[in-house]
């Protein structure tokens, strides 16, 4: 935590931003939403330079004061990693704070500054005709956002933004015969698009961060301080305390329950790992395998209703649908994701000889009776959304309900002081994602101005058409190419930025091939999320390895194995109309068919990846290959492929029965462990 003047300023500013976000829900600023975004960014961006260090070696004389090595209270809610701070803010940091305040507030200052200024309306009137003063402040804000992203997420996202900026400026020099060539934009046009348009810094991504994400991070902080996190973990442990695979099931269930309020993969991984890793270790899980399980379960937080991740709110805004609809689209895939992990846990327990663990946490019914009220606010969000209340108001009502219910537990009552702490913690959790969302305006504005989206889509489809002329195969190849592109993109940038870039590049290609907008959006969303478990930069796996002490690369591969079915399920969204059933679209019959067949596919793929058929015994290489083919074939949700896939699954299972005598036994001696 920051201390001294910097800590006080950070706390005061975060408190003001949180109060403004809550006020805006019921009493929107009369000047409009863009005016609010300007004020919000002016309150958040300066805090990034206080909360995240520059990581540059500066002479000691340039520092106002020094602190011992500690971790700042803010966490990146998009990436989920705390920022390491080794000393207090420097002169440079304070200078950037002042510049950030000036550049952000310049559009609304009611005073003349050189040839510009003059207030908000005057600034809007100069759209397309920015003055030199406008260009100076716009350029300053551009550079500040790039530096804020570098501090919060690393070098890759700023480099990607600069690549788009360079494309916008130099694209006119490309041979005009190239599909991606354009007429070219001068620097003033680019700054105008970033600074004074609805697709730039103050576009949809920042609107989502300022209107939705900040409220949900405040809600998550309120629930955590009210004891909900501890209750979710204890309930998970109590539910499986007599099970042979109690330790693994507890980790997975904890990840799901905590994920309903977290929305951050790596943060959830650390939270559940701190409690469940001792159980996993006593049960006999190697650090790498336990880390893979924790990381896969933690990443489910970004997929789990009712909070999902930041990109889910962007989906609602881009498609013009209610957030409740996005929650509906995510429900079946989330269940299938955790089904795959639970099956992998069961397989590992039998294949590796995991020991049973007796967890002494009491009766789950007693826990539910005493602390089950923590579910009330989660249910309330769904109910409010269902009756037509906006997502922003629904989460504010849920916050109020959680605060009131916290007084049922003397140890976790949200007194005014603790409520202020929750508000500040929630705002701190949104610092990095706000910087990412504002910087994403560079990408969206450049894409809009240059027409890059349709051009890139044409290239992607053209690559598939070069291999085949069959429309169905073109769609399949395009989906596969898009999946690879999104996976590679997600290795370098946070989930939110990965979705924004993927939507403007890959989304048009899928839409052009007849894929519905919900299926295309959820396809891009899921592959953006899965970057958190994709080697070689799997952030959730890095967090898990830090908790378990396991080797990093093996932990990444174990994480990939646990999450493997999730990589293939999104393909089913787009390659057949029946795949829409996985998103809850198309009636009960389609939904049941799609969910049932895909569940079978997930189960077969889990057996193929784990090499063990529960209740039977080990699977050899031939059975695993047949199982993998069966699982992939079943994802083509049409009668003939489903029949073929089911037949292959039966043959694979028969092969396992034949070799069942090779199955080993695991120890049955219980190990006492208290949570």
């Amino acid at each position: 935590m920051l201390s001294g003047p910097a800590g006080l300023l950070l706390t005061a500013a975060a408190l003001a931003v949180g109060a403004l976000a809550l006020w805006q829900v019921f009493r929107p600023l009369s000047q409009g939403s863009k005016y609010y975004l300007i004020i919000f960014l002016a309150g958040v961006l300066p805090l990034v330079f206080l909360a995240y260090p520059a990581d540059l070696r500066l002479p000691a004389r340039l520092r106002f004061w020094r602190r011992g090595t500690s971790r700042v209270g803010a966490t990146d809610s998009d990436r989920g990693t705390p920022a390491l701070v080794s000393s207090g803010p420097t002169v440079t940091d304070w200078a950037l704070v002042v510049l950030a305040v000036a550049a952000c507030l310049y559009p609304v200052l009611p005073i003349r500054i050189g040839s510009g200024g003059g207030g908000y309306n005057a600034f809007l009137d100069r759209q397309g005709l920015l003055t030199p003063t406008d260009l100076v402040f716009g350029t300053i804000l551009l550079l500040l956002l790039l530096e804020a992203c570098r501090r919060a997420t690393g070098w890759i996202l700023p480099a990607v933004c600069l690549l788009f900026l360079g494309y916008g400026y130099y694209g006119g020099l490309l041979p005009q015969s190239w599909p991606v060539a354009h007429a070219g934009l001068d620097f003033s046009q680019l700054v105008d698009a970033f600074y004074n348009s609805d697709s730039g810094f103050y576009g949809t991504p920042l609107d989502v961060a300022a209107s939705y994400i900040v409220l949900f991070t405040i809600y998550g902080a309120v629930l955590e301080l009210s004891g909900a996190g501890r209750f979710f973990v204890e309930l998970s442990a109590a539910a499986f305390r007599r099970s042979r695979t109690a330790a693994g099931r507890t980790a997975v269930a904890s990840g799901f329950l905590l994920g309903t309020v977290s929305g951050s993969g790596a943060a959830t991984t650390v939270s559940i790992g701190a409690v469940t890793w001792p159980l996993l270790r006593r049960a006999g899980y190697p650090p790498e395998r336990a880390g893979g399980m924790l990381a896969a379960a933690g990443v489910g937080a970004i997929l789990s209703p009712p909070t999902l991740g930041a990109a889910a709110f962007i989906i609602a805004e881009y498609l013009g649908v209610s957030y409740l609809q996005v929650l509906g689209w995510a429900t079946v895939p989330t269940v299938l994701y955790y089904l795959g992990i639970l099956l992998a846990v069961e397989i590992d327990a039998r294949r590796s000889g995991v020991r049973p663990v007796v967890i002494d946490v009491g009766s789950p019914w007693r826990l539910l009776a005493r602390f089950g009220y923590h579910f009330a606010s989660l249910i309330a969000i769904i109910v409010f959304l269902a009756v037509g209340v906006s997502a922003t108001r629904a989460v504010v009502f849920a916050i109020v309900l959680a605060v009131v219910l916290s007084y049922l537990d003397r140890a976790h009552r949200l007194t005014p002081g603790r409520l202020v702490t929750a508000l500040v913690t929630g705002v701190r959790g949104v610092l990095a994602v706000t910087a990412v969302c504002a910087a994403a305006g560079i990408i969206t504005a450049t894409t809009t101005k240059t027409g890059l989206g349709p051009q890139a889509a044409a290239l992607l489809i053209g690559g598939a058409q070069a291999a085949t002329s069959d429309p169905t195969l073109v769609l399949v190849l395009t989906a596969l190419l898009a999946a690879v592109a999104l996976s590679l993109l997600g290795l370098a940038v946070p989930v939110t930025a990965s979705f924004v870039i993927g939507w403007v590049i890959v989304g048009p290609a899928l839409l052009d091939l007849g894929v519905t907008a919900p299926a295309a959006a959820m396809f891009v969303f899921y592959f953006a999320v899965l970057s958190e478990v994709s080697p070689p930069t799997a952030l959730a796996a890095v967090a898990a390895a830090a908790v378990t002490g396991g080797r990093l690369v093996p932990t990444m591969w174990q994480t990939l194995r646990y999450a493997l079915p999730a990589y293939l399920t999104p393909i089913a969204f787009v390659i057949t109309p029946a795949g829409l059933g996985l998103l809850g679209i198309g009636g009960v019959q389609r939904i049941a068919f799609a969910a049932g067949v895909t569940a079978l596919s997930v189960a077969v793929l889990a057996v193929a990846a784990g090499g063990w058929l529960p209740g039977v015994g080990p699977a050899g290489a031939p059975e695993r290959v047949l199982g993998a083919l069966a699982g992939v074939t079943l994802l083509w949700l049409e009668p003939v492929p489903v029949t073929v896939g089911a037949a292959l699954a039966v043959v694979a299972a028969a092969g396992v029965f034949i070799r069942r005598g090779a199955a080993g036994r695991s120890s049955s001696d219980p190990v006492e462990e208290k949570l």
Side-chain angles (χ1 to χ4, degrees), residues 10-274:
L10 183 62
T11 300
L15 183 60
V17 170
L20 175 63
L22 293 171
W23 179 268
Q24 174 73 8
V25 173
F26 299 98
R27 292 290 186 270
L29 299 180
S30 59
Q31 296 89 339
S33 61
K34 186 173 180 179
Y35 189 92
Y36 165 64
L37 296 182
I38 292 172
I39 302 299
F40 180 85
L41 187 61
V44 171
L45 184 60
L47 301 186
V48 175
F49 299 110
L50 293 179
Y52 291 87
D55 288 332
L56 299 174
R57 297 184 179 275
L58 297 177
R61 61 185 175 83
L62 292 181
R63 300 184 182 276
F64 274 104
W65 59 84
R66 299 184 64 84
R67 295 185 286 116
T69 299
S70 63
R71 289 187 182 273
V72 72
T75 48
D76 178 357
S77 63
D78 196 29
R79 301 294 282 180
T81 52
L84 182 63
V85 180
S86 58
S87 61
T90 65
V91 172
T92 303
D93 294 330
W94 285 110
L96 293 177
V97 167
V98 173
L99 282 175
V101 172
C104 290
L105 291 181
Y106 167 78
V108 300
L109 291 178
I111 58 175
R112 300 297 300 183
I113 302 176
S115 57
Y120 181 58
N121 291 331
F123 179 76
L124 294 182
D125 290 341
R126 295 195 296 272
Q127 185 173 359
L129 299 170
L130 296 187
T131 67
T133 306
D134 297 332
L135 292 176
V136 168
F137 280 98
T139 302
I140 292 174
L141 184 55
L142 169 65
L143 297 175
L144 288 172
L145 286 173
L146 293 175
E147 169 60 9
C149 285
R150 185 197 68 79
R151 292 185 179 215
T153 68
W155 288 96
I156 301 298
L157 180 57
V160 172
C161 291
L162 288 174
L163 181 64
F164 274 83
L165 180 63
Y167 170 73
Y169 188 74
Y170 293 107
L173 302 179
L174 296 174
Q176 292 303 302
S177 59
W178 289 15
V180 295
H182 61 87
L185 301 169
D186 61 36
F187 189 71
S188 63
Q189 290 176 304
L190 289 170
V191 172
D192 179 77
F194 301 152
Y195 199 33
N196 200 0
S197 77
D198 293 333
S199 62
F201 301 146
Y202 306 109
T204 298
L206 181 61
D207 189 14
V208 166
S211 302
Y212 298 95
I213 301 173
V214 65
L215 297 177
F216 275 88
T217 56
I218 292 172
Y219 171 59
V222 166
L223 274 188
E224 181 64 30
L225 286 177
S226 68
R230 177 181 177 181
F231 162 68
F232 290 152
V233 175
E234 289 187 353
L235 180 63
S236 301
F240 305 116
R241 70 188 190 281
R242 299 186 184 278
S243 168
R244 173 188 179 88
T245 54
R249 291 181 180 180
T250 298
V252 176
S254 300
F256 171 73
L257 291 175
L258 286 177
T260 58
V261 297
S262 170
S264 170
T268 304
T269 299
V270 173
S271 298
I272 63 176

Side-chain angles (χ1 to χ4, degrees), residues 583-642:
L583 302 179
I585 299 173
V588 176
Q589 185 176 356
R590 174 189 278 182
I591 296 171
F593 171 76
V597 173
T598 308
L600 176 61
S601 171
V602 168
V604 175
L605 288 171
V607 171
W612 193 282
L613 182 60
V616 182
E623 293 82 17
R624 296 177 73 175
V625 171
L626 281 176
L629 290 174
V632 173
T633 306
L634 286 168
L635 290 175
W636 195 298
L637 298 174
E638 296 292 344
V640 173
V642 168

Side-chain angles (χ1 to χ4, degrees), residues 7-8 59 121 351 433 455 511 577:
L8 291 175
N121 291 331
R351 183 182 182 186
V433 74
Q455 295 166 344
L511 295 175

Side-chain angles (χ1 to χ4, degrees), residues 362-545:
S363 166
W365 302 112
R366 185 173 300 175
L367 277 172
L368 277 173
R370 176 65 182 87
F371 299 107
Y373 60 83
H374 286 300
F375 286 112
S377 61
L378 291 170
I379 297 172
I381 291 178
I382 304 299
V383 172
F384 283 130
L385 292 174
V387 299
V389 177
S390 67
T392 54
R393 293 196 173 196
V395 71
V396 172
F397 293 149
I399 290 172
V400 174
L401 179 59
V403 171
V404 172
L405 292 176
S406 72
Y407 280 82
L408 295 175
D409 182 2
R410 182 184 299 272
H412 295 92
R413 290 177 179 175
L414 288 176
T415 60
R418 300 186 76 227
L419 192 56
V420 168
T421 300
L423 192 62
V424 172
T425 301
V427 173
R428 286 179 170 182
V430 83
L431 294 183
V433 74
T434 298
V436 169
C437 287
I442 300 172
I443 297 166
T444 55
T446 302
T447 303
T448 301
K449 281 284 188 179
T450 61
L452 177 61
Q455 295 166 344
L459 282 176
L460 194 61
I461 296 173
Q465 291 175 335
T468 179
S469 59
D470 183 86
T472 302
L473 292 179
V474 168
L475 175 58
V476 173
L477 286 177
T478 301
L480 292 175
L481 290 173
V484 172
L486 290 168
S487 298
L488 293 175
L489 175 65
L491 299 179
V493 298
V495 172
T496 304
S498 179
F499 173 80
V500 171
I501 299 171
W503 180 247
V504 299
I505 301 298
V506 172
L510 297 175
L511 295 175
D512 287 347
L513 291 174
V515 177
T516 63
M522 295 304 287
F523 177 89
V524 175
F525 172 64
Y526 271 83
F527 278 104
V529 169
L530 290 173
S531 65
E532 292 248 348
V533 296
S534 301
T537 60
L539 190 63
V542 173

